């Protein structure tokens, strides 16, 4: 039974539970206050009655001392008796006396008074008469005066006080629960709104690509705590929005990557298959023709190998492996730039190259092979995407905390719409350019990933007629090379 009530209570709404809790707490407070107030009022009335009896007994004591008994009639309903306690343990009632039929309580108090040196007060219940307050005092040695005053008025007053308290506290409790429930409902309304917002978000299709959550928790009511919760709730929604956007972009990039990779691999595979078929049918032909087919097969296989090597390198950089594909060592960046420039002049004599270096030696801790790959990719990109005779320049300068290498050309430049995606994998500015000349579209993506793995940045700058790629490398070694994004 108790467990069922507990489950029912836990199933109530928060506002109802708070209102019930407030009601129970108020009931306990009202009960404590009522009990204390009632006890104080009873004690106060009893002390008032005891003081009144003390004043009456002053007069009655004089009457008992003069006549041996009390001849003056007490108040209506009061009893007075004079006892002779000189006999030791006995108490003899003197006559005449106003005593009830059951006077054992008065006699017992008289015996007790015989052994006491101060006045005694006691509350008793006399059969057939109800509660009485007894007071005993010594009239003279061996003589005790006992008075009994009814406490009916005190009991009536206390009962009325209890009735008033029950009615007043009951009405106050009812008003507290009713109005408190309304106030709690109003105060908890922002929480209900946030719950509705959460339900709306739960019903929203989160599988939609780049779908922004349309709901937010608004309002200004609820106090500081609710405002903090609302802010945290909206911050969480913003974080979810950002995460969904990142996921959507990642999915789009993955789809584009898979499509582009499939397309790029399909071309050399088709070439390999075609030349293999030709080689099979040309087996009886001249040796020169067979050698030509074999050379084409080797070229396509080499091209496919380069593409797969680039994809593997990008995958390892993206995975942020503990052992990244970098071999760190102290390297002279100036010598590295000169080597890349010499190789470019030898392979691209139709593009004049100018090299400008600052300090004679720029020592950095890096992977010389990978940085050389970055420089070769940038120089090759400048040569492939510009007409013959285009001037290319390389500038090396010391930067705060590292070094900066800029590769610039005076070709047609990169259109503004293509600048944001220039470092995407398999992206080409000129879609119609032959793959034999334009490459696979991985050169800049590999270069950007390698620079990030070194803790540096690769940025594109320039204007129509000028294209500048700037590589910034730090002088320190990253504790954990950054993964390409």
């Amino acid at each position: 039974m108790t467990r069922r009530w507990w489950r029912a209570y836990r199933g109530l709404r928060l506002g109802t539970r708070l209102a019930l809790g407030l009601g129970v707490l108020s009931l306990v407070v009202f009960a404590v206050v009522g009990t204390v107030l009632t006890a104080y009022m009873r004690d106060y009335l009893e002390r008032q009655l005891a003081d009144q009896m003390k004043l009456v007994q002053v007069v009655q004591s004089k009457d008992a001392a003069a006549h041996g008994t009390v001849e003056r009639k007490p108040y209506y309903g009061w009893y007075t008796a004079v006892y002779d306690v000189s006999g030791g343990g006995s108490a003899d009632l003197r006559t005449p006396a106003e005593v009830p039929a059951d006077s054992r309580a008065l006699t017992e108090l008289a015996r007790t008074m015989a052994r006491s040196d101060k006045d005694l007060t006691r509350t008793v219940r006399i059969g057939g008469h109800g509660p009485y307050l007894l007071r005993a005092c010594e009239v003279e040695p061996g003589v005790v005066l006992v008075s009994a005053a009814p406490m009916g008025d005190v009991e009536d007053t206390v009962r009325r006080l209890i009735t008033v308290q029950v009615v007043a506290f009951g009405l106050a409790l009812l008003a507290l629960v009713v109005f408190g429930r309304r106030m709690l409902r109003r105060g908890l309304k922002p929480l209900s709104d946030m719950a509705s917002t959460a339900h709306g978000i739960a019903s929203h299709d989160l599988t939609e690509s780049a779908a922004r959550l349309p709901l937010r928790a608004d309002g200004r009511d609820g106090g500081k705590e609710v405002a903090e919760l609302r802010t945290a709730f909206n911050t969480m929604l913003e974080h979810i929005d950002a995460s969904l956007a990142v996921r959507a972009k990642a999915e789009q990039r993955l789809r584009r990557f898979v499509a582009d990779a499939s397309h790029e691999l399909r071309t050399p595979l088709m070439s390999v298959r075609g030349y293999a078929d030709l080689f099979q049918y040309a087996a009886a032909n001249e040796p020169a023709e067979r050698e030509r087919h074999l050379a084409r097969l080797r070229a396509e296989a080499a091209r496919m190998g380069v593409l797969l090597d680039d994809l593997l390198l990008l995958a390892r950089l993206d995975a942020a492996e503990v052992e990244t594909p970098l071999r760190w060592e102290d390297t002279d960046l100036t010598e590295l730039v000169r080597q890349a420039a010499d190789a470019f002049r030898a392979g691209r004599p139709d593009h004049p190259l100018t090299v400008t270096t600052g300090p004679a030696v720029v020592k950095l801790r890096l992977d010389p092979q990978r940085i050389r790959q970055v420089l070769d990719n940038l120089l090759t990109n400048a040569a492939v995407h510009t007409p013959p005779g285009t001037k290319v320049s390389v500038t090396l300068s010391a930067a705060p905390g590292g070094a900066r290498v800029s590769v610039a050309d005076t070709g047609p430049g990169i259109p503004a719409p293509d600048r944001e995606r220039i470092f995407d994998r398999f992206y080409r500015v000129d879609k119609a350019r032959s793959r034999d000349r334009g490459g696979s579209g991985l050169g800049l993506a590999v270069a950007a990933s390698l620079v990030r793995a070194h803790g540096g940045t690769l940025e594109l700058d320039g204007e129509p007629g000028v294209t500048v790629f700037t590589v910034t490398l730090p002088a320190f070694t990253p504790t954990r090379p950054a993964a390409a994004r």
Side-chain angles (χ1 to χ4, degrees):
M1 185 68 178
T2 304
R3 184 175 299 177
R4 185 171 62 185
W5 280 102
W6 175 248
R7 286 199 299 266
Y9 171 77
R10 295 184 63 181
L12 297 175
R13 294 183 65 85
L14 178 59
T16 304
R17 293 169 61 179
L18 290 176
L20 290 176
L22 183 62
V24 172
L25 180 61
S26 301
L27 183 62
V28 173
V29 172
F30 290 161
V32 173
V33 172
T35 302
V36 172
L37 183 61
T38 301
Y40 175 79
M41 181 58 68
R42 179 187 293 275
D43 182 68
Y44 173 77
L45 294 177
E46 288 180 358
R47 282 189 284 104
Q48 289 290 101
L49 183 58
D51 291 343
Q52 184 180 3
M53 292 179 68
K54 182 178 180 180
L55 293 176
V56 171
Q57 283 186 333
V58 170
V59 178
Q60 290 178 339
S61 296
K62 294 179 180 180
D63 193 8
H67 304 93
T69 186
V70 178
E71 295 183 352
R72 293 187 178 185
K73 299 294 183 181
Y75 294 108
Y76 176 77
W78 286 40
Y79 297 105
T80 302
V82 178
Y83 288 92
D84 184 358
V85 293
S86 58
S90 62
D92 299 327
L93 179 65
R94 292 186 179 184
T95 57
E98 290 289 339
V99 295
D102 184 7
S103 60
R104 289 175 297 177
L106 282 72
T107 303
E108 181 64 26
L109 184 60
R111 291 195 187 100
T112 304
M113 184 63 198
R115 298 187 297 271
S116 177
D117 55 354
K118 59 181 180 179
D119 299 345
L120 299 178
T121 302
R122 184 175 299 172
T123 300
V124 298
R125 181 171 291 276
I126 298 177
H129 296 277
Y132 270 76
L133 179 64
L134 305 184
R135 191 176 191 281
C137 64
E138 186 181 35
V139 176
E140 57 186 23
V143 179
V144 175
L145 172 64
V146 179
S147 299
M151 297 183 64
D153 293 341
V154 174
E155 294 294 330
D156 290 341
T157 302
V158 171
R159 280 195 295 270
R160 291 177 182 178
L161 177 61
I162 294 175
T163 302
V164 171
Q165 287 178 349
V166 170
V167 174
F169 289 166
L171 293 176
L173 181 61
L174 179 62
L176 183 63
V177 172
V178 173
F179 291 104
R181 178 72 180 90
R182 292 183 179 179
M183 293 179 64
L184 287 173
R185 182 179 299 174
R186 182 176 180 181
L188 295 175
K189 187 177 182 301
L191 299 182
S192 300
D193 295 340
M194 280 186 272
S196 300
T197 302
H199 286 302
I201 293 173
S203 62
H204 188 70
D205 187 7
L206 298 180
T207 60
E208 298 178 4
S209 297
R212 176 177 174 81
L213 297 177
L215 302 174
R216 290 293 185 274
D218 299 324
R220 298 181 179 178
D221 299 331
K224 184 177 180 181
E225 293 80 4
V226 176
E228 292 177 353
L229 178 61
R230 185 185 299 113
T231 301
F233 188 77
N234 290 334
T235 302
M236 179 191 67
L237 294 182
E238 293 292 342
H239 178 68
I240 294 176
D241 275 340
S243 300
L244 290 176
V246 171
R247 188 187 71 176
K249 290 182 179 179
E251 290 177 353
Q252 292 176 358
R253 290 179 58 187
L254 179 60
R255 294 192 189 101
R256 188 167 61 247
F257 177 80
V258 172
D260 292 341
S262 301
H263 185 70
E264 292 294 334
L265 289 174
R266 180 185 178 186
T267 300
L269 284 175
M270 291 296 294
S271 299
V272 169
R273 180 179 178 182
Y275 284 114
D277 291 340
L278 288 174
F279 181 74
Q280 180 181 3
Y281 292 117
N285 295 339
E286 296 180 0
E289 185 176 355
R290 292 199 302 271
E291 289 298 328
R292 182 169 59 87
H293 294 330
L294 286 174
R296 296 294 296 180
L297 283 173
R298 294 190 191 96
E300 293 298 333
R303 177 183 169 192
M304 194 174 356
V306 172
L307 178 61
L308 292 176
D309 288 341
D310 288 343
L311 290 175
L312 179 60
L313 176 60
L314 288 172
R316 295 180 65 187
L317 291 172
D318 286 343
E321 298 172 346
V322 177
E323 295 182 0
T324 59
L326 300 179
R327 298 180 179 179
W328 303 88
E329 58 181 80
D330 294 332
T331 306
D332 183 4
L333 186 58
T334 304
E335 181 62 25
L336 208 60
V337 170
R338 289 172 180 167
Q339 292 175 5
D342 292 339
F344 180 80
R345 290 191 182 100
R348 306 284 180 173
D350 54 345
H351 286 75
L353 177 63
T354 303
V355 178
T356 304
T357 58
V361 176
V362 178
K363 282 285 188 179
L364 293 179
R365 186 165 183 78
L366 46 81
D367 185 336
Q369 181 179 355
R370 296 305 183 182
I371 294 300
R372 172 64 188 275
Q373 183 178 358
V374 171
L375 297 175
D376 290 342
N377 285 354
L378 294 179
L379 289 171
T380 301
N381 182 77
V384 169
H385 296 285
T386 58
T390 303
K391 294 181 179 180
V392 181
S393 62
V394 178
T395 303
L396 171 63
S397 60
R404 182 181 292 113
V405 181
S406 298
V407 178
D409 64 72
T410 57
I414 299 176
D418 297 314
R419 289 178 175 268
E420 294 183 359
R421 297 189 55 192
I422 195 64
F423 296 110
D424 289 354
R425 297 164 190 183
F426 298 109
Y427 185 77
R428 296 185 185 86
V429 175
D430 187 359
K431 309 299 188 298
R433 182 177 293 274
S434 169
R435 285 179 175 81
D436 292 336
R437 296 185 58 196
S440 62
L442 291 177
L444 292 179
V446 170
S449 297
L450 287 174
V451 172
R452 276 194 294 266
H454 282 80
T457 59
L458 175 58
E459 299 176 349
L460 170 62
D461 199 0
E463 55 188 14
V466 178
T467 302
V468 181
F469 287 95
T470 302
V471 178
T472 303
L473 296 173
F476 61 90
T477 302
T479 55
R480 183 182 179 90
R485 290 184 288 270

